[in-house]
Amino acid sequence: MWKQILSKLPKKSSKNEHHHHRGREREREHGGGHSSSSSHASTSKSSDNGHGKSANSHTKNAPSGGRSAASSDSGFKGGNNNNNNGGVFTPYEALPSFKDVPNTEKQNLFIKKLNLCRVVFDFTDPTKNIKEKDIKRQTLLELVDYVNSANGKFSEVSIQEVVRMVSANIFRTLNPQPRENKVIDALDLEEEEPSMDLAWPHLQLVYELFLRFVASPDTDTKLAKRYIDQSFVLRLLDLFDSEDPRERDCLKTILHRIYGKFMVHRPFIRKSINNIFYRFVFETEKHNGIAEFLEILGSIINGFALPLKDEHKVFLVRVLIPLHKPKCLQMYHQQLSYCITQFVEKDCKLADTVIRGLLKYWPVTNSSKEVMFLNELEEVLEATQPPEFQRCMVPLFRQIARCLNSLHFQSRKVILPIIFPALERNAEKHWNQAVHSLTLNVRKIFNDLDPELFKDCLAKFKEDESKEGETKAKREATWKHTSDIKFRRSIEEKWPLLESQYKMFKQILGKLPKKPSSAKFWDNGESQAPDNNNHEVLSQRSSSSNGDNLASLSVDVLPRLKDVSISEKQELFLKKLRLCCVVFDFAAEPQLNLKEKEIKRQTLLEVVDYVISSGNGKFPEPVIQEATRMVSANLFSNPHQQQWKNKTPPEAGDLEEQEEGSLNPSWPHLQIVYEFLLRIVASPNTDAKISKKYIDHTFVLKLLDLFDSEDPREREYLKTILHRIYGRFMVHRPFIRKTMNNILYDFILETGKHSGIAEFLEVLGSIINGFALPLKEEHKLFLTRVLVPLHKLKCLPNYHQQLSYCVIQFVEKDSKLADTVIKGLLKYWPVTNSSKEIMFLNELEEILEATQLAEFERCMVPLSRQIAQCLSSSHFQVAERALYLWNNDHVSNLVRHNNRIILPIVFPALEKNGSSHWNQAVKNLTENVLKVLSDTNPELFEECLRKFQEDQQNAEDNKKKNGENWRQLEEIVASMAK
């Protein structure tokens, strides 16, 4: 009987269930340092297979496709794994669109969509969950658009849910297959196909969403750093070992943004990357993301302030120089060389250390590595001063002598072209006879060593000299042509006035006796005379004929690059670039040439993939020339591109509603062209010395013009591309800065209309970050003449976050500029616009955080008066924001040191707020501030209180007196009326 009763009782939980429960408890205890309210960062990534292990642990037996083992048999796991009702999966259905709900419900819908996107699908079987995968993809696209067009600060709940969703999707088990040391086996890396993640259709959108979220001015850094914490950053760095180059590129951009936005994480990021390098150099020599890490560090090193800290010099000696010794150096040498050169340019005294380091790791039997070392050595020597050169010249030239005697022809072939131009110019026109004689001796030695190479170098030198002369002549002709165009335009602009004067003159002439003439001069108004529409007609004819020519070109499918031999790939690549020069009309007739448009789109995708996976061979000059020509044909020569320029930017209140007409209809092609240009510029296979002939000042100028596009997607690409060009082409840097200055001057002083000001300022923020100390006068002038006046425009909300970052960078670099900046803000302080006033107060607090006591004392009197006005504001948010200044420890400390001057100025406003402000929150904050001031200096506080009461009493007495005077005047007037 007992046996029967016991058999009917519920069974005890199994050991597996017990371990599963204990595993979850362990995850909650070791969740990366989060509190229970924010433990999502680890629990959202824990697998539901009963093992209780983090998805981030790199196990060897990971499932194919690179996804977590948490995927269920049905192909996906529940969106809310931590509370999914006992493991029962909820139906996966699409949610309403953001356009279909009112603004009050958008935030809740945003969170629901984020939860929906936490479901991770299995892409190893493409036939599984097709409908659900498409729903998630569409939802991710909606989320990207929402983040991109957000018009208010993200709440803490929204930030938390974004990080949870991103973590659930990207943090997974990687099974990397490192590219190891294949270069020594002389394998052709171009033939090796990188391992592409099957889940990329979703992953790409998740990365895009996270990038927009981090870069958004609506993401509060102080809130976000609670969730994008050190644990999150560490797992992000682990993902750089992904085999998929697309993923590493996204990670690189995101990490760069996190480094720029979260200053608190900067030391940790540098330290963690260092640790990865140490492991790579001294242990594994296997990692897929070394090139990407070095590219990020190139930007970081560019921003190091002078004099360099000891920790940065140690990083050069212990990390960057030893990175030359792994066998797979070829995979990341271009980025490593850039980092090394940055150090030498910042501190020329490091040249000796770097050169001796290169000599220490100089390859003995690997000739291809030796050629790389020689190329890097040339760049280092360009930045080396005589004292440093003299310290290392003996061992250096011993090594160069060994290279000259090398059996490998390329070593000599590298050295002689480097020094030949200098030798030839010395031999032709050096003023010193001794130098001239020695040069002739050296030339003779080289000629005897390798006559053919010497002959080739001489021919190349003469060709370069000839090209330089042609370029100079061409430049002069271009300037002349530009002047002619300006003259014609000025005539066209003045033509209505000239025409009216001509008609009047004709009427006068008509009254005079006619003189016989054989020439017809604009008779009856139907002549060859230019009219107002003539320029437009010509433009239409030109663009029409251009379009007809393009449409008549044969747009046929070319063979795939994978299907031809290596020797034919370059020629086929050039053909594909020429095919992509055809520009189609997407605006007037979108249904026209559908087949040809699709062929071009597929071809563009193929050339982008070719650039990404082009191995380690440098692009030859014809490829760079054709690539630039194709990009120019699509971006600059497109007649329909003009309509997207010079439109009035939307008002600050209308940013959330994106007008459909502002999106470029030709974006399906343009996006891939921009992607191609970005890859070409960033590729280590693109030789900057060759490229600068084609990506020249004219190209850069046209690129900057495109920033006025109404399409935010286009501006985002342009921003990234310009940043890469600025970093790669040092020769263009002064020109880019000067041109951007001119555009900003035009915006401030004339038009007040430009769509790309926020993007320009974001690029300038990175440039300012790299300014060396002490700051040059031209940089200080840029601050006072451009950045500070940018505050006065009505459309300030469109770019204030980026502008504020630029201004604060200056103050952080040179605290003496704080006085100039604060007085500039006070000059342009808004009078009637409360939303702008709040922005000014936010920026002011950040500036004051970087302000020293001496600079604060120079501007504290006018500043205190302005703050007092803000405290007295009837708009409660302005008063509230001004009161929050006392919550900042540094600001409060500055005020405390100058209490005797500041307190009498702000006290009346504080006292009135505490007694009579209509908003209770402002009243409460005021009482807190008054208490702090009273505790700091009771005697001064009492003195100010007495003074305030006296003034109030005097004001009341004056009011009564004035009232009595008016009453008496009224009585006198009344008596006189009788």
Side-chain angles (χ1 to χ4, degrees):
M1 180 180 70
W2 278 106
K3 193 173 182 181
Q4 290 174 351
I5 293 170
L6 289 170
S7 66
K8 294 177 182 178
L9 293 173
K11 292 183 179 179
K12 196 182 266 187
S13 60
S14 67
K15 287 184 178 180
N16 288 339
E17 290 174 352
H18 175 70
H19 286 311
H20 175 68
H21 182 69
R22 289 296 300 273
R24 285 194 176 277
E25 288 180 348
R26 282 196 301 273
E27 285 179 341
R28 280 194 291 271
E29 292 171 1
H30 306 287
H34 287 307
S35 64
S36 59
S37 63
S38 60
S39 62
H40 67 278
S42 65
T43 56
S44 62
K45 294 177 292 299
S46 61
S47 59
D48 289 341
N49 56 4
H51 297 294
K53 290 183 180 179
S54 169
N56 193 42
S57 58
H58 291 197
T59 55
K60 296 288 183 184
N61 56 350
S64 60
R67 307 308 296 150
S68 172
S71 301
S72 65
D73 295 337
S74 62
F76 64 93
K77 58 185 179 180
N80 293 311
N81 292 330
N82 298 334
N83 53 1
N84 61 356
N85 300 323
V88 179
F89 298 115
T90 56
Y92 199 86
E93 297 177 356
L95 293 167
S97 172
F98 284 111
K99 295 179 181 178
D100 301 333
V101 299
N103 289 337
T104 54
E105 297 179 20
K106 282 186 178 179
Q107 185 176 332
N108 288 333
L109 181 60
F110 177 60
I111 292 171
K112 288 179 182 177
K113 286 180 182 286
L114 288 169
N115 285 329
L116 184 75
C117 292
R118 285 171 55 205
V119 177
V120 179
F121 292 97
D122 181 7
F123 279 79
T124 54
D125 186 352
T127 62
K128 263 187 188 177
N129 307 111
I130 296 174
K131 178 186 173 185
E132 288 83 359
K133 288 175 183 174
D134 192 59
I135 289 173
K136 179 177 177 182
R137 193 179 69 84
Q138 294 297 332
T139 306
L140 284 168
L141 285 168
E142 271 195 89
L143 288 171
V144 171
D145 288 339
Y146 180 84
V147 170
N148 206 32
S149 59
N151 196 27
K153 292 285 184 185
F154 291 113
S155 65
E156 185 168 1
V157 176
S158 298
I159 294 171
Q160 184 177 8
E161 289 301 323
V162 168
V163 177
R164 289 185 74 187
M165 187 278 286
V166 171
S167 301
N169 281 272
I170 69 172
F171 294 141
R172 64 203 190 279
T173 301
L174 291 177
N175 206 9
Q177 302 168 1
R179 290 169 284 181
E180 297 185 5
N181 306 331
K182 296 176 182 176
V183 288
I184 63 166
D185 297 327
L187 293 179
D188 189 354
L189 294 173
E190 189 176 341
E191 292 298 307
E192 183 188 354
E193 290 292 333
S195 175
M196 300 298 189
D197 199 309
L198 299 175
W200 187 246
H202 287 183
L203 276 177
Q204 182 182 19
L205 294 173
V206 173
Y207 279 122
E208 182 69 20
L209 168 68
F210 190 51
L211 175 60
R212 304 282 183 183
F213 174 76
V214 171
S216 173
D218 297 318
T219 302
D220 191 325
T221 309
K222 293 178 182 177
L223 288 177
K225 71 181 179 183
R226 300 177 190 173
Y227 306 101
I228 302 176
D229 57 358
Q230 291 187 357
S231 174
F232 183 94
V233 170
L234 206 56
R235 284 174 294 188
L236 203 69
L237 293 174
D238 285 342
L239 291 175
F240 273 83
D241 206 11
S242 168
E243 265 285 287
D244 195 328
R246 304 169 299 182
E247 182 169 21
R248 295 199 304 272
D249 198 63
C250 288
L251 286 163
K252 177 179 65 181
T253 309
I254 289 168
L255 184 62
H256 194 274
R257 290 298 176 88
I258 289 174
Y259 188 90
K261 192 157 188 176
F262 297 88
M263 296 181 71
V264 68
H265 290 336
R266 290 184 179 181
F268 177 76
I269 291 173
R270 292 199 302 269
K271 182 180 177 183
S272 300
I273 294 177
N274 283 8
N275 292 338
I276 292 170
F277 282 146
Y278 286 139
R279 199 177 311 117
F280 171 74
V281 173
F282 299 109
E283 294 180 20
T284 64
E285 288 197 10
K286 297 175 183 177
H287 198 289
N288 293 307
I290 299 299
E292 286 77 14
F293 278 139
L294 286 168
E295 196 162 336
I296 295 167
L297 283 167
S299 297
I300 294 174
I301 294 164
N302 187 277
F304 283 167
L306 294 177
L308 290 171
K309 296 179 181 177
D310 286 339
E311 67 166 298
H312 300 153
K313 295 177 183 178
V314 168
F315 169 69
L316 169 68
V317 174
R318 295 185 181 174
V319 179
L320 292 185
I321 292 177
L323 272 170
H324 287 84
K325 81 172 183 177
K327 297 174 182 176
C328 52
L329 172 66
Q330 193 168 350
M331 296 295 183
Y332 56 82
H333 180 260
Q334 191 267 335
Q335 294 87 351
L336 175 60
S337 177
Y338 176 75
C339 292
I340 295 278
T341 310
Q342 286 281 305
F343 268 105
V344 180
E345 287 177 352
K346 282 186 171 289
D347 186 353
C348 61
K349 293 179 181 178
L350 293 171
D352 174 42
T353 305
V354 169
I355 291 171
R356 290 181 184 275
L358 287 176
L359 296 176
K360 178 182 178 182
Y361 295 107
W362 200 278
V364 179
T365 59
N366 191 331
S367 55
S368 61
K369 274 186 72 173
E370 200 164 11
V371 172
M372 285 190 284
F373 271 56
L374 286 166
N375 286 327
E376 182 176 354
L377 181 63
E378 179 187 2
E379 294 187 31
V380 172
L381 287 173
E382 280 184 358
T384 303
Q385 300 302 316
E388 285 70 37
F389 178 73
Q390 288 169 6
R391 291 193 196 107
C392 61
M393 63 182 178
V394 174
L396 173 63
F397 274 90
R398 282 177 184 155
Q399 184 60 56
I400 290 176
R402 286 193 286 271
C403 294
L404 287 171
N405 294 325
S406 172
L407 295 176
H408 194 277
F409 75 98
Q410 281 187 325
S411 297
R412 189 182 297 151
K413 202 171 181 180
V414 169
I415 291 174
L416 186 55
I418 292 171
I419 63 173
F420 191 88
L423 289 173
E424 198 62 25
R425 290 190 182 101
N426 276 2
E428 285 179 3
K429 50 190 176 185
H430 200 282
W431 64 272
N432 186 279
Q433 187 58 43
V435 172
H436 187 267
S437 302
L438 287 168
T439 302
L440 292 175
N441 293 336
V442 173
R443 283 176 83 254
K444 186 176 185 307
I445 291 169
F446 278 116
N447 193 8
D448 295 342
L449 275 172
D450 194 334
E452 291 184 6
L453 177 59
F454 188 88
K455 186 179 177 182
D456 291 342
C457 289
L458 183 60
K460 180 70 168 54
F461 173 76
K462 290 179 178 177
E463 184 184 345
D464 290 343
E465 289 286 290
S466 174
K467 280 184 180 177
E468 190 175 340
E470 290 174 5
T471 304
K472 188 176 179 182
K474 187 178 177 183
R475 192 180 296 121
E476 290 174 357
T478 304
W479 277 112
K480 186 176 182 303
H481 179 63
T482 306
S483 302
D484 293 342
I485 290 172
K486 287 181 178 178
F487 176 73
R488 285 202 300 273
R489 284 182 180 170
S490 66
I491 292 296
E492 287 170 6
E493 289 170 0
K494 296 174 183 176
W495 179 251
L497 177 62
L498 294 172
E499 189 178 28
S500 63
Q501 291 174 349
Y502 162 72
K503 287 179 180 178
M504 182 178 68
F505 182 63
K506 190 175 179 183
Q507 289 174 357
I508 295 169
L509 288 174
K511 297 176 183 178
L512 297 173
K514 291 186 178 180
K515 187 176 182 181
S517 173
S518 58
K520 293 184 179 179
F521 185 74
W522 300 355
D523 291 335
N524 301 324
E526 298 177 356
S527 55
Q528 306 291 329
D531 55 26
N532 293 338
N533 299 320
N534 196 34
H535 179 67
E536 185 179 349
V537 170
L538 288 172
S539 299
Q540 288 174 354
R541 285 176 184 170
S542 174
S543 62
S544 174
S545 64
N546 185 36
D548 293 341
N549 291 337
L550 292 173
S552 65
L553 286 174
S554 176
V555 183
D556 297 325
V557 181
L558 293 169
R560 293 192 309 170
L561 287 160
K562 294 180 181 179
D563 299 338
V564 299
S565 62
I566 297 173
S567 59
E568 296 175 326
K569 280 188 177 180
Q570 184 177 315
E571 187 58 37
L572 179 57
F573 181 62
L574 292 173
K575 287 180 181 178
K576 287 181 180 285
L577 288 174
R578 293 182 194 114
L579 183 146
C580 293
C581 288
V582 180
V583 181
F584 294 100
D585 184 0
F586 281 81
E589 300 190 37
Q591 299 304 315
L592 197 64
N593 305 114
L594 289 177
K595 178 185 173 184
E596 289 81 0
K597 288 174 182 174
E598 181 59 22
I599 290 172
K600 178 181 174 182
R601 194 181 72 83
Q602 293 295 336
T603 307
L604 283 168
L605 289 170
E606 202 176 351
V607 297
V608 170
D609 287 340
Y610 178 83
V611 172
I612 294 172
S613 58
S614 56
N616 294 286
K618 294 284 184 183
F619 292 124
E621 188 165 353
V623 167
I624 295 173
Q625 185 177 11
E626 283 299 325
T628 313
R629 182 170 166 269
M630 185 275 284
V631 170
S632 300
N634 283 273
L635 302 186
F636 309 143
S637 306
N638 188 347
H640 307 291
Q641 188 75 2
Q642 301 304 318
Q643 61 186 301
W644 312 112
K645 295 169 62 178
N646 302 325
K647 290 189 178 181
T648 306
E651 293 295 329
D654 302 332
L655 289 175
E656 187 174 351
E657 300 298 327
Q658 178 69 52
E659 291 184 16
E660 193 173 334
S662 65
L663 299 179
N664 198 324
S666 57
W667 188 244
H669 285 183
L670 280 180
Q671 181 181 16
I672 311 173
V673 174
Y674 277 120
E675 186 69 23
F676 173 80
L677 176 58
L678 178 59
R679 299 289 182 177
I680 272 283
V681 171
S683 173
N685 298 327
T686 301
D687 192 324
K689 293 180 181 178
I690 296 174
S691 303
K692 69 183 181 183
K693 299 178 187 177
Y694 305 101
I695 302 177
D696 56 2
H697 284 185
T698 304
F699 184 93
V700 171
L701 204 56
K702 290 179 180 178
L703 204 68
L704 291 170
D705 283 343
L706 294 177
F707 272 83
D708 205 11
S709 165
E710 270 286 283
D711 195 327
R713 304 168 300 182
E714 185 169 16
R715 297 197 304 271
E716 187 69 22
Y717 263 107
L718 285 163
K719 176 182 69 181
T720 309
I721 289 166
L722 182 63
H723 193 273
R724 291 296 177 87
I725 290 174
Y726 189 89
R728 193 90 189 265
F729 298 91
M730 296 180 72
V731 68
H732 291 337
R733 290 183 181 181
F735 177 77
I736 291 173
R737 292 200 302 269
K738 182 180 177 182
T739 308
M740 290 170 78
N741 284 9
N742 292 339
I743 292 170
L744 292 172
Y745 280 137
D746 187 61
F747 172 70
I748 296 167
L749 303 173
E750 295 184 23
T751 64
K753 297 174 183 178
H754 198 288
S755 300
I757 299 300
E759 287 76 15
F760 273 144
L761 289 170
E762 196 161 337
V763 175
L764 284 166
S766 296
I767 293 173
I768 295 163
N769 187 275
F771 283 168
L773 294 178
L775 291 171
K776 296 178 182 177
E777 284 302 316
E778 65 168 301
H779 300 154
K780 295 178 183 178
L781 287 174
F782 171 71
L783 170 67
T784 54
R785 295 183 180 177
V786 179
L787 293 184
V788 173
L790 273 170
H791 288 84
K792 75 177 180 179
L793 298 167
K794 293 179 181 178
C795 54
L796 175 66
N798 294 345
Y799 56 82
H800 179 258
Q801 191 263 342
Q802 294 85 353
L803 174 61
S804 177
Y805 176 76
C806 292
V807 171
I808 291 158
Q809 285 281 305
F810 269 103
V811 181
E812 287 178 349
K813 282 185 172 289
D814 186 353
S815 60
K816 292 179 181 178
L817 293 171
D819 173 45
T820 304
V821 170
I822 291 171
K823 287 180 178 176
L825 285 180
L826 297 176
K827 178 181 177 182
Y828 297 110
W829 200 278
V831 180
T832 59
N833 191 331
S834 54
S835 60
K836 273 185 72 172
E837 204 162 5
I838 292 167
M839 283 190 283
F840 272 56
L841 285 165
N842 286 328
E843 183 176 356
L844 179 64
E845 181 179 358
E846 294 191 49
I847 292 166
L848 287 173
E849 280 186 353
T851 303
Q852 301 303 313
L853 192 60
E855 283 69 40
F856 178 74
E857 288 173 351
R858 293 195 192 104
C859 60
M860 63 183 174
V861 173
L863 176 60
S864 301
R865 287 173 184 155
Q866 185 60 63
I867 291 173
Q869 290 179 21
C870 294
L871 292 170
S872 303
S873 173
S874 57
H875 194 285
F876 82 96
Q877 285 183 321
V878 175
E880 188 178 54
R881 188 63 192 83
L883 287 163
Y884 277 137
L885 290 173
W886 272 269
N887 288 349
N888 187 299
D889 292 338
H890 184 70
V891 177
S892 184
N893 190 44
L894 292 174
V895 172
R896 188 169 61 253
H897 277 86
N898 297 277
N899 242 351
R900 290 218 158 265
I901 297 172
I902 295 173
L903 187 56
I905 298 173
V906 300
F907 189 87
L910 289 170
E911 194 64 27
K912 288 173 186 174
N913 275 0
S915 59
S916 58
H917 202 283
W918 63 272
N919 185 274
Q920 189 59 44
V922 172
K923 273 188 171 184
N924 294 339
L925 284 168
T926 303
E927 288 173 7
N928 292 338
V929 172
L930 286 169
K931 186 177 186 307
V932 170
L933 295 172
S934 175
D935 294 343
T936 303
N937 193 335
E939 294 178 1
L940 177 63
F941 188 88
E942 287 298 324
E943 184 182 329
C944 290
L945 181 60
R946 283 196 302 273
K947 179 74 166 58
F948 173 75
Q949 290 171 347
E950 288 174 9
D951 291 343
Q952 289 290 96
Q953 187 61 48
N954 291 337
E956 190 67 29
D957 293 343
N958 288 335
K959 187 177 179 182
K960 288 179 181 179
K961 188 177 180 180
N962 290 337
E964 183 64 25
N965 289 339
W966 278 108
R967 188 184 62 77
Q968 291 176 3
L969 286 172
E970 287 172 355
E971 288 177 358
I972 292 170
V973 171
S975 64
M976 289 176 67
K978 292 177 181 179

